Amino acid sequence: MTTTIRPITANDIPELLALVEQYWLFEDIAGYERASVAKQLQRLCSDPRLGAGWIAHAGKTPAGYLLAVYVFSLEHLGLTAEIDEFFVLPSCRGKGLGAGLLQSAEAEFLRAGCTNVSLQLGRGNEAAREFYRRNGYSDRAGFELLDKELTK
């Protein structure tokens, strides 16, 4: 089966929505609202300063995606990339799609002038942790992520 990986465009949003919904179910992320997610995907596709994304197909079937956002970091002396969402269908894992998505993203991060890439990982997701370690990622000693929801 032929696999393809390419940057996302607004035309990919319908396929991305189906993958995003599966990812949010997989990670137990609450609040999936198709229209809201579509609006933000459109925003990302319309403004490359925000970040970038890639979609993978196995044959004609959308099989995975990676979305990243760009953040300025004084600590890292420039633009950094944060992998915001990264998902490959369970039936397509172990076939190189994830590695291909990651390599495509990292090449673009370098082209965009990023000095660092980071991501968040669920504590119990050991398969993903091993995947990232095989691809050169490591825990950042002495740091842990904190966040706060901002409401109007």
Side-chain angles (χ1 to χ4, degrees):
M1 178 173 296
T2 304
T3 61
T4 58
I5 296 170
R6 61 174 176 72
I8 63 168
T9 69
N11 293 333
D12 296 312
I13 291 174
E15 291 182 333
L16 285 167
L17 287 169
L19 290 168
V20 170
E21 184 174 21
Q22 290 183 61
Y23 170 67
W24 286 28
L25 287 169
F26 177 81
E27 289 289 353
D28 199 25
I29 300 170
Y32 179 86
E33 294 178 12
R34 185 176 179 88
S36 297
V37 172
K39 181 179 178 181
Q40 295 308 315
L41 286 169
Q42 180 65 48
R43 184 177 178 198
L44 178 64
C45 289
S46 299
D47 189 349
R49 296 171 302 166
L50 295 176
W54 296 263
I55 188 165
H57 285 85
K60 294 183 180 185
T61 303
Y65 72 101
L66 188 153
L67 302 176
V69 296
Y70 296 138
V71 179
F72 174 80
S73 170
L74 186 59
E75 177 183 353
H76 292 289
L77 300 176
L79 196 62
T80 67
E82 179 180 336
I83 295 172
D84 185 52
E85 295 198 2
F86 186 6
F87 179 71
V88 174
L89 292 173
S91 61
C92 295
R93 293 182 187 158
K95 299 175 183 175
L97 280 177
L101 282 163
L102 193 58
Q103 290 165 3
S104 295
E106 289 175 353
E108 176 58 22
F109 301 156
L110 285 169
R111 191 205 63 72
C114 293
T115 61
N116 175 271
V117 60
S118 62
L119 57 95
Q120 300 174 39
L121 184 60
R123 285 192 175 102
N125 195 341
E126 288 305 316
R129 189 174 317 284
E130 181 55 35
F131 168 80
Y132 287 118
R133 285 187 177 140
R134 282 193 315 269
N135 284 279
Y137 289 71
S138 60
D139 295 333
R140 186 166 180 202
F143 289 85
E144 112 182 18
L145 176 70
L146 303 175
D147 73 355
K148 176 182 177 180
E149 241 356 88
L150 297 176
T151 57
K152 293 181 181 182

